[in-house]
Amino acid sequence: MTRRVVTVVFVGLLLCSLTVVAADKPDFSGNWKLNVEKSDFGPMPKPEKADYTIVHKDPEMNVKSVAVGSMGEMTNEVKILTDGTEFTNTIRGQEVKGTAKWDGKTLVVTQKLEIQGTAITFIQKWTLSDDGKSIVQEVNISTPQGEVAQKAVLDKV
């Protein structure tokens, strides 16, 4: 009888700890608007505005963005797998391969593409604010010509 009680208590504690671990991963779902003033695009031109719709049900996250800038309106839809499984998206006619994994509460997304024989790597770090009202997306873009750092701040609508 004592072993059974100890086993039940142990299993209960294990399930509770798994629930806590799962709760540590933020849910990025929602409608978001780019905060242009708080964002930093480095040497690249700032968009006038951008809206995001994110549906996040781990391990899948679907992101639709509509941005308006000097090149007009651009719409993208991507699917990200947060469990390390490779995913492929087509963005403006270019095939982009990537992987994503959790680093604590931060989602690290690595994507690679090739444009006219030039390899480009994007590493994005997605972090949800403690109050759930903003996402900070730090981006490092690597090319043979060098690196560019950017930061996009998205506010919940």
Side-chain angles (χ1 to χ4, degrees):
M1 183 78 167
T2 305
R3 277 188 167 178
R4 179 176 281 175
V5 170
V6 170
T7 302
V8 169
V9 169
F10 177 75
V11 170
L13 290 172
L14 180 62
L15 290 174
C16 287
S17 69
L18 291 175
T19 302
V20 170
V21 169
D24 283 345
K25 294 178 183 176
D27 182 351
F28 294 109
S29 295
N31 294 313
W32 304 87
K33 183 175 287 301
L34 176 69
N35 186 324
V36 177
E37 298 306 313
K38 290 184 179 178
S39 299
D40 178 6
F41 294 93
M44 301 176 89
K46 290 182 180 183
E48 294 170 27
K49 67 177 190 168
D51 297 312
Y52 296 78
T53 301
I54 301 173
V55 178
H56 183 189
K57 294 179 182 170
D58 224 29
E60 189 172 304
M61 186 165 79
N62 294 293
V63 181
K64 180 180 179 182
S65 64
V66 179
V68 177
S70 60
M71 295 176 58
E73 183 176 292
M74 292 184 283
T75 300
N76 288 310
E77 291 188 49
V78 297
K79 177 179 171 180
I80 297 169
L81 301 174
T82 64
D83 62 359
T85 303
E86 185 175 76
F87 57 86
T88 303
N89 290 297
T90 301
I91 301 174
R92 294 176 24 205
Q94 295 291 322
E95 184 176 271
V96 181
K97 293 189 177 286
T99 57
K101 63 181 180 175
W102 290 102
D103 183 7
K105 292 182 179 184
T106 300
L107 181 62
V108 180
V109 182
T110 302
Q111 299 180 85
K112 297 181 180 192
L113 72 143
E114 192 172 300
I115 298 176
Q116 298 176 346
T118 301
I120 302 171
T121 301
F122 295 83
I123 299 175
Q124 301 174 322
K125 293 182 179 181
W126 293 61
T127 306
L128 184 66
S129 64
D130 289 338
D131 63 6
K133 293 182 180 178
S134 64
I135 295 172
V136 174
Q137 194 182 75
E138 296 175 351
V139 183
N140 185 40
I141 305 167
S142 297
T143 71
Q145 291 76 32
E147 294 190 9
V148 174
Q150 297 181 334
K151 179 176 87 170
V153 177
L154 310 178
D155 293 329
K156 195 154 200 170
V157 179

